[in-house]
Amino acid sequence: MSLALVNILPSDTTIPFIKARFVAFIVSAAMIIGSIGAFATMGLNFGIDFTGGVTLEVRTEEEIDADKIDEMRGLLNGLGLGAIELQGLSEIDPESDCFGNRCALIRVQPQEGEGLEAEEAQQEANLAVQGALTDQYPGIEFRSINVLGPKVSGELVQAGVTSIIVALVLMLIYIWFRFEWQYSVGAVLALVHDVIITIGMFAITQLEFNLSTIAAILTIVGYSMNDTVVVYDRIREKLRKFKKEPLEVVLNRAINKTLSRTILTSVTTLVALISLWALGGAALQGFAFAMIFGVIIGTYSSIFIAAPLLLITKVKRDTVEG
């Protein structure tokens, strides 16, 4: 099966990727500027992991349609707990508990207070919401309950940002030792490109940004780096073999030689991720969507950003043994 798929893709393509580098740089610059602008003006829709507050996932025997959502919202707004968000959850799997629009996600804003007082206020809000829903809807099921105070959520924000920065620095060091500094600069700039645009996508779509998203971004960094290393390995191999050809020709030859592998890897990964997004339920949809977007943008950056940057950093042929 795998050999048949490989044979579908030509092994001797001569697509002029490097000639398209200026267009790619302009497109990437536009996406980066747009992402930064969206982040600055719209911000991110932080989940409870980063904001604190109370999140409850509930299930009822009756369908939770738009009228039922409005009814629940009116009930909970009467508790005086501040902003409350409700979102219906639906599953396409008939075996799922949420099949038939019988589940809903409830978010309650962080309660005022500091330190222990804030923690107690969150717990009181949680109990108040559960009590009101139980009285109004006998038999309601609380499938999950998360209560986070502002101190814990603040620490999670710091840990999340730190993990991304540390990952990028370690990747820089790894590529520096694996290849030369010219390669490491290209690889890390491509990774920063992927991270910024992925965060921009979350700012524009206002999808919930939580710890699962951080995990997705770190996974994207690893995936993109793996793709870039494959391309760089082939570039180094071609530099040894074609020492007198122009650098642009050698880079283009190397990209085309890895194109089949790149496409097959990306497509098979996307098939799994799309299945996860469609069937994994609401809890996994944000993670899966981030991964789908990241695989696409990571594949693009490996070909159109990481490799062409070697022309700018002027990778030296005399560093290539052969």
Side-chain angles (χ1 to χ4, degrees):
M1 175 67 74
S2 59
L3 290 177
L5 288 173
V6 172
N7 290 334
I8 292 174
L9 300 172
S11 59
D12 56 349
T13 57
T14 56
I15 303 172
F17 291 108
I18 298 300
K19 286 186 178 180
R21 66 185 183 279
F22 296 113
V23 175
F25 288 163
I26 292 172
V27 171
S28 291
M31 288 193 292
I32 289 173
I33 293 172
S35 297
I36 294 174
F39 177 79
T41 57
M42 303 170 65
L44 295 172
N45 178 24
F46 288 111
I48 187 176
D49 298 334
F50 296 145
T51 62
V54 181
T55 297
L56 306 94
E57 185 177 327
V58 300
R59 180 185 183 277
T60 63
E61 290 301 323
E62 300 177 355
E63 179 182 357
I64 304 179
D65 55 16
D67 292 336
K68 182 72 71 175
I69 289 290
D70 290 339
E71 181 182 294
M72 287 183 172
R73 184 178 289 108
L75 172 67
L76 298 179
N77 282 338
L79 299 176
L81 300 175
I84 295 180
E85 298 179 9
L86 282 89
Q87 175 186 350
L89 301 178
S90 178
E91 302 286 355
I92 63 175
D93 182 3
E95 301 297 324
S96 170
D97 290 339
C98 292
F99 180 73
N101 300 322
R102 287 179 168 79
C103 294
L105 185 66
I106 302 170
R107 296 187 182 91
V108 182
Q109 74 170 43
Q111 303 301 297
E112 296 182 358
E114 296 182 1
L116 183 59
E117 180 183 349
E119 302 290 340
E120 293 176 350
Q122 309 288 15
Q123 292 292 348
E124 291 174 1
N126 171 40
L127 295 176
V129 170
Q130 290 189 56
L133 291 174
T134 302
D135 291 341
Q136 183 70 22
Y137 308 104
I140 190 171
E141 176 186 347
F142 296 92
R143 303 181 73 231
S144 68
I145 300 172
N146 293 303
V147 182
L148 280 182
K151 180 180 179 181
V152 174
S153 60
E155 292 173 350
L156 291 176
V157 171
Q158 183 178 1
V161 173
T162 301
S163 64
I164 294 176
I165 294 174
V166 170
L168 292 175
V169 172
L170 291 178
M171 292 294 182
L172 171 66
I173 296 173
Y174 166 73
I175 295 296
W176 199 322
F177 279 97
R178 174 74 181 271
F179 298 97
E180 291 83 34
W181 71 265
Q182 293 94 339
Y183 292 93
S184 64
V185 170
V188 171
L189 286 178
L191 291 181
V192 172
H193 163 279
D194 298 345
V195 171
I196 291 176
I197 293 176
T198 301
I199 292 175
M201 179 273 294
F202 272 89
I204 293 170
T205 60
Q206 287 297 293
L207 291 171
E208 183 176 306
F209 194 91
N210 50 33
L211 286 178
S212 295
T213 310
I214 294 294
I217 290 175
L218 292 174
T219 307
I220 290 167
V221 168
Y223 179 91
S224 181
M225 177 58 72
N226 178 69
D227 218 23
T228 300
V229 166
V230 170
V231 175
Y232 277 177
D233 263 333
R234 186 56 62 91
I235 288 174
R236 186 165 60 174
E237 173 189 322
K238 296 301 180 185
L239 285 174
R240 291 171 178 166
K241 187 175 181 180
F242 303 99
K243 295 183 177 180
K244 295 185 178 181
E245 283 191 355
L247 182 57
E248 180 176 333
V249 174
V250 176
L251 295 180
N252 208 68
R253 190 193 300 271
I255 295 173
N256 276 279
K257 284 298 182 182
T258 59
L259 186 61
S260 176
R261 178 263 178 204
T262 299
I263 292 176
L264 286 174
T265 302
S266 298
V267 169
T268 52
T269 304
L270 286 173
V271 168
L273 290 173
I274 291 172
S275 299
L276 183 64
W277 176 78
L279 304 174
L284 293 175
Q285 283 182 340
F287 173 84
F289 186 79
M291 284 296 301
I292 291 170
F293 183 85
V295 167
I296 294 172
I297 203 70
T299 302
Y300 160 82
S301 68
S302 296
I303 295 174
F304 290 100
I305 303 299
L309 280 173
L310 294 178
L311 287 171
I312 297 176
T313 57
K314 299 187 184 301
V315 61
K316 297 179 180 179
R317 291 174 181 255
D318 57 7
T319 62
V320 181
E321 298 177 1

